[in-house]
Amino acid sequence: MADVMVLVVEDEAAIATLIQFTLEQAGFAVQCVPSVEEAQPFLQSRLPDVLLLDWMLPGISGIDFIRQLRRDSRSCDLPIILLTARGEETDKEQGLNLGADDYITKPFSPRELIARINALLRRRAPQKTSTPLSIQGLELDPVQQRVRVNGQAVAFGPSEFKLLHFFMTHPDRIYTRSQLLDQVWGDHVFVEERTVDVHIRRLRRGLETVGYEHLIQTVRGSGYRFSL
């Protein structure tokens, strides 16, 4: 999970420290800041995979920040979990209606926090999870970084492995080069769109050794698709 970045916006130092320790023990990369004002420069440089956001913050509140993020095309799909001591049903309803993906009431257990983050990743970014995948004899193990086809190992470089992982968790959808760059490499990595073509060719060559290259399809004028 080390390639999963979680940004924590929490102004209570003791809670932020506990969250950071809990998430790092679970294998996440973590960045903690005490306010929206300090979160904004980080978000401008890169989008995290998950944002943990306290409701009550100095300056701009968590709720107001969610409104801002959801209006911005770059961050409109950012997975957000709202942290708050407000446990009334109306508060939960307000937070979810304004764009939070999930809502955790303080105090919460470390196990619950990890479970909520993993559940959100499974829904919104399954390519960031450690769940093994198997599609018609093509098996991918994210933890061991291994790919097998009917028991035969297939070697891939790190970028090709991430690309295949993304495709296998998002089958039958067409993705442009820029979408693949953002989803697989991250929007903070600046590389040419044509770089995607190079990695697609390498991915196909690896799959060709086991007769599975047809799974990676070029959709002329649009991009690429993984389909059976």
Side-chain angles (χ1 to χ4, degrees), residues 116-176:
R116 294 290 189 94
I117 291 175
N118 285 331
L120 180 55
L121 287 171
R122 284 194 296 271
R123 295 198 309 270
R124 299 287 300 277
Q127 76 277 11
K128 294 289 186 176
T129 67
S130 57
T131 305
L133 302 169
S134 180
I135 299 177
Q136 290 194 358
L138 175 61
E139 300 174 355
L140 182 145
D141 186 333
V143 175
Q144 297 187 1
Q145 299 271 301
R146 289 180 177 172
V147 177
R148 293 181 180 274
V149 173
N150 298 319
Q152 179 181 343
V154 186
F156 290 108
S159 293
E160 289 72 45
F161 184 89
K162 286 183 179 181
L163 194 56
L164 180 60
H165 193 187
F166 178 79
F167 275 136
M168 290 181 70
T169 52
H170 298 80
D172 298 313
R173 306 182 203 174
I174 300 170
Y175 290 93
T176 65

Side-chain angles (χ1 to χ4, degrees), residues 55 63 86-97 103:
W55 182 313
I63 284 292
R86 303 166 65 132
E88 297 295 327
E89 285 299 318
T90 54
D91 294 326
K92 294 181 181 180
E93 184 179 352
Q94 181 185 2
L96 295 172
N97 285 341
Y103 188 111

Side-chain angles (χ1 to χ4, degrees), residues 175-192:
Y175 290 93
T176 65
R177 294 179 181 89
S178 62
Q179 287 174 328
L180 289 172
L181 284 175
D182 286 348
Q183 295 288 339
V184 178
W185 282 266
D187 77 335
H188 62 293
V189 177
F190 299 99
V191 294
E192 291 288 334

Side-chain angles (χ1 to χ4, degrees), residues 22 159 208:
T22 298
S159 293
E208 187 177 11

Side-chain angles (χ1 to χ4, degrees), residues 50 52 81-82 92 101-105 108-123:
V50 176
L52 293 184
I81 297 178
L82 196 59
K92 294 181 181 180
D101 295 285
D102 202 355
Y103 188 111
I104 301 181
T105 304
F108 50 84
S109 73
R111 290 179 64 182
E112 179 189 8
L113 179 61
I114 297 300
R116 294 290 189 94
I117 291 175
N118 285 331
L120 180 55
L121 287 171
R122 284 194 296 271
R123 295 198 309 270

Side-chain angles (χ1 to χ4, degrees), residues 184-213:
V184 178
W185 282 266
D187 77 335
H188 62 293
V189 177
F190 299 99
V191 294
E192 291 288 334
E193 287 191 4
R194 291 293 174 181
T195 302
V196 174
D197 299 342
V198 174
H199 292 291
I200 289 286
R201 285 197 294 271
R202 290 176 181 170
L203 178 57
R204 278 184 175 141
R205 279 201 296 269
L207 291 173
E208 187 177 11
T209 62
V210 286
Y212 274 62
E213 71 279 4

